[in-house]
Amino acid sequence: MTQIPQRLLGEALLLSFGKTPDNIAIISKKEELSYSDIYERSVRLASHLVSIGIKKGDRVAIYMNNSWQSVVSIYGTTLAGAVFVVINPQTKASKLKYILNDSDTKVLVSSDALRNELLLTLPDTPGIQELILSGEPGSLKLQDLLTTEFENITQAHRVIPTFPRIIPNDLAALIYTSGSTGFPKGVMMTHQSMVFTSWSLIEYLRLTDKDRILLVLPLAFDYGLYQLIMAITVGGTLIIEQSFTFPASIYNSIEKYKPTVFPGVPTVYAMMIASNKQTGLKFDCIEKVTNTAAALPAEFIPDLKRIFPNALIFKMYGLTECKRVCYLEPELVDLKPNSVGKAIPGTEVFLLSPEGKPVPAGELGILYIRGPHVMAGYLNKEELSAEMLKAGTLPGERILCSNDLFVMDEEGFLYFQGRTDDIIKTRGEKVSPIEIEKIIYKIDGVREVAIIGVPDEIMGESISAFVTTHVSCELTKDDILRECVKNLEAFMIPQSIVFLNEMPKSANGKFDKFELKKLAKNGNG
């Protein structure tokens, strides 16, 4: 029998269900759901969406905690030909209202656990035709808005209507990503780009149907979302956790379910390293460790090898506008510890100067990305789209400008230097925060480091270092200053060093530099 190729995102679920219907697809809150379970519930939801008039390209927003219900909502939406919009459950009413209206959402799938924000939001979202609620719908009283029980839909007798015919060029998802100012931007991703990306990631991560991926990242974060997509595509298992807020619970889950893949961000790894230093934390079952969202300091690698003694460590770099840009083969992690590798399979990267000229090896340049994984643009933001998407060498082609600074060596390996808007201009010099952070990370006892520029009338910007340390470490400002003086040029030495108990972080686990700038402005930097 001829194998049908995957062209649409939802077809991955159909193919995995067809091959191994009884295999466990999702483990969530101790509940194990097979591919048959996920398929049946997703088709029921898709049938309901079509029956209430949802058409090809209509938006369905999913605002709920990581759960099997959110998985079914994603696949039910895409099987119905609609566009899914996953919204972080930590999102507050003002931003939630903006996303729902900006995306022109027709149906919102949510949970009664989020009723407070829903009550503040839904009166001002006139485009929503139906609220599908998991939990206790009776606890949410909203006039003039049809509310349906999620559990009733996904357990109902299945009647399959004619689903809309969609093609790979159609929109699959809107992934909202925070901007430097204002409300988030909706990144438009087609079925073609998401299917291509998932298979490129699966190829270089060497994933198989035997892999069990542990999800501690929000599904609203593209890094978290693609853990689900990859698991379903290869026919593996996704072990769903709410977050990394309670590490002990995550460690128990690892011991119980024996995942083989652990995707994390540097802030998560910093906490695990701290636990390792105190308790000797170690997990033999993990075979692959991945990192993105922020650069993984080279100094973390030896500690991660102690925590995950049997794992390949994948350093990666990406941005929501194309999902993933590059990765470092794990066999090279010790040879090129500061590199994030080369372009992912099927794509191309290169560096240009601000004037658009090619940059020689070893010199600083802006990274550009070419490939099928590049976004279609930002929803309702043509000017911002034009800033990021530039004309390519082929007629009609658009390439992505990352606005991130890199150096590429003679062998083509990339080294992240920071965002163009993160570069600190001090005393007439341009300073990369990454360069200073690397030096401070080398100091024994340092847990996390963030460098920011603070407006200064004389210098243009002064440099502030925010540092957290491991428990029982007695580092002083002088210790850090001494190491900076020894290894950095005079204009790169921080004028201010601030120790924090905890580094402020975004919902995606990245350092919140806006909060750090507020601290600096208020005299703490």
Side-chain angles (χ1 to χ4, degrees):
M1 182 176 176
T2 304
Q3 175 67 49
I4 299 172
Q6 183 193 353
R7 296 188 180 96
L8 305 174
L9 196 63
E11 288 175 344
L13 176 60
L14 307 185
L15 292 168
S16 291
F17 162 69
K19 289 180 200 170
T20 54
D22 297 327
N23 281 12
I24 299 301
I26 302 295
I27 299 174
S28 176
K29 291 185 177 177
K30 301 179 181 178
E31 190 172 0
E32 298 186 0
L33 287 90
S34 68
Y35 274 91
S36 180
D37 294 329
I38 296 297
Y39 168 79
E40 289 289 342
R41 297 178 197 199
S42 297
V43 169
R44 288 183 183 121
L45 178 59
S47 300
H48 175 80
L49 292 173
V50 173
S51 71
I52 64 172
I54 291 301
K55 298 180 177 59
K56 169 180 171 177
D58 283 347
R59 279 48 151 165
V60 174
I62 300 156
Y63 175 59
M64 59 200 329
N65 289 311
N66 284 3
S67 58
W68 70 259
Q69 288 91 339
S70 52
V71 171
V72 166
S73 299
I74 288 169
Y75 280 96
T77 297
T78 196
L79 290 174
V83 177
F84 63 82
V85 186
V86 186
I87 304 172
N88 195 309
Q90 295 184 34
T91 302
K92 298 302 180 185
S94 59
K95 188 181 290 187
L96 176 61
K97 190 185 309 180
Y98 172 83
I99 293 173
L100 294 175
N101 288 329
D102 183 65
S103 61
D104 191 23
T105 289
K106 295 288 193 293
V107 172
L108 174 61
V109 186
S110 190
S111 162
D112 71 306
L114 298 168
R115 69 175 73 86
N116 291 341
E117 299 304 325
L118 292 172
L119 287 168
L120 293 171
T121 299
L122 291 173
D124 298 316
T125 53
I128 294 180
Q129 300 168 6
E130 181 172 342
L131 172 65
I132 299 176
L133 204 65
S134 176
E136 300 290 338
S139 67
L140 193 65
K141 303 294 184 183
L142 288 162
Q143 290 183 343
D144 304 321
L145 179 61
L146 176 62
T147 302
T148 312
E149 293 188 31
F150 180 93
E151 284 73 18
N152 284 351
I153 292 170
T154 55
Q155 294 169 12
H157 176 68
R158 174 156 58 92
V159 178
I160 304 180
T162 302
F163 289 153
R165 185 174 183 274
I166 52 177
I167 65 170
N169 291 39
D170 285 324
L171 207 59
L174 285 170
I175 302 174
Y176 275 82
T177 181
S178 297
S180 54
T181 57
F183 284 111
K185 308 180 289 286
V187 175
M188 296 187 287
M189 289 305 225
T190 65
H191 285 268
Q192 179 175 267
S193 65
M194 296 186 79
V195 170
F196 166 84
T197 302
S198 61
W199 278 109
S200 184
L201 303 184
I202 287 164
E203 178 185 340
Y204 80 73
L205 289 173
R206 313 168 196 181
L207 298 180
T208 74
D209 59 358
K210 301 296 189 294
D211 277 309
R212 298 159 70 86
I213 303 173
L214 180 65
L215 179 69
V216 298
L217 307 160
L219 285 165
F221 182 20
D222 65 321
Y223 188 22
L225 175 64
Y226 272 86
Q227 305 310 316
L228 166 64
I229 293 171
M230 291 187 296
I232 296 294
T233 301
V234 298
T237 301
L238 186 73
I239 303 162
I240 296 178
E241 296 290 343
Q242 296 291 316
S243 68
F244 203 77
T245 305
F246 303 103
S249 173
I250 302 299
Y251 302 156
N252 289 337
S253 185
I254 295 174
E255 293 291 352
K256 180 175 181 180
Y257 296 113
K258 305 297 182 188
T260 59
V261 184
F262 188 96
V265 295
T267 52
V268 165
Y269 293 130
M271 285 189 273
M272 297 185 82
I273 289 168
S275 295
N276 172 262
K277 291 181 184 299
Q278 293 174 50
T279 66
L281 182 77
K282 186 172 76 168
F283 299 111
D284 295 331
C285 60
I286 304 293
E287 298 172 3
K288 303 175 186 82
V289 170
T290 68
N291 173 82
T292 191
L296 183 70
E299 290 71 28
F300 280 23
I301 301 297
D303 292 306
L304 291 181
K305 287 183 175 181
R306 282 191 287 273
I307 298 171
F308 306 107
N310 299 320
L312 298 171
I313 298 173
F314 289 84
K315 294 183 66 175
M316 309 182 299
Y317 159 83
L319 58 161
T320 306
E321 289 79 358
C322 68
K323 173 52 198 153
R324 186 66 41 72
V325 176
C326 54
Y327 76 104
L328 184 69
E329 292 279 4
E331 290 81 5
L332 300 176
V333 74
D334 292 323
L335 293 173
K336 293 184 178 287
N338 292 310
S339 175
V340 286
K342 296 182 178 182
I344 66 173
T347 71
E348 182 182 349
V349 297
F350 51 91
L351 303 184
L352 298 178
S353 69
E355 296 73 35
K357 304 295 183 184
V359 172
E363 293 191 16
L364 197 67
I366 299 169
L367 183 72
Y368 286 77
I369 303 107
R370 182 171 177 250
H373 58 332
V374 170
M375 70 172 179
Y378 296 122
L379 180 70
N380 303 326
K381 291 179 171 56
E382 290 187 12
E383 287 186 12
L384 280 176
S385 297
E387 289 178 13
M388 294 290 285
L389 296 172
K390 307 297 184 183
T393 54
L394 298 176
E397 181 186 29
R398 293 194 294 179
I399 57 175
L400 179 65
C401 173
S402 71
N403 288 316
D404 284 351
L405 296 171
F406 278 80
V407 168
M408 184 183 289
D409 66 20
E410 294 283 357
E411 298 175 275
F413 288 89
L414 290 164
Y415 299 81
F416 179 66
Q417 303 298 308
R419 290 193 57 80
T420 51
D421 53 5
D422 279 346
I423 292 298
I424 300 167
K425 297 173 183 176
T426 182
R427 303 179 188 178
E429 303 280 357
K430 291 183 180 179
V431 175
S432 166
I434 299 289
E435 199 169 343
I436 304 171
E437 289 168 3
K438 284 179 181 175
I439 296 302
I440 298 177
Y441 265 122
K442 290 179 180 177
I443 302 171
D444 190 36
V446 168
R447 178 179 169 190
E448 299 164 312
V449 187
I451 301 293
I452 64 167
V454 181
D456 184 278
E457 289 184 6
I458 297 172
M459 292 184 286
E461 287 182 289
S462 63
I463 300 171
S464 285
F466 290 87
V467 179
T468 65
T469 62
H470 291 294
V471 176
S472 75
C473 175
E474 297 183 359
L475 274 179
T476 67
K477 293 181 182 181
D478 285 341
D479 294 330
I480 290 174
L481 196 59
R482 192 179 307 114
E483 201 65 24
C484 289
V485 169
K486 189 191 305 180
N487 292 282
L488 297 169
E489 296 167 81
F491 64 85
M492 299 177 71
I493 296 170
Q495 282 76 46
S496 168
I497 298 168
V498 180
F499 287 100
L500 300 175
N501 291 327
E502 289 293 334
M503 197 75 75
K505 300 177 181 77
S506 70
N508 294 340
K510 298 179 182 180
F511 293 160
D512 191 333
K513 291 200 172 183
F514 294 112
E515 285 299 319
L516 292 176
K517 286 180 185 290
K518 286 181 187 177
L519 288 174
K521 187 177 179 181
N522 293 331
N524 293 313

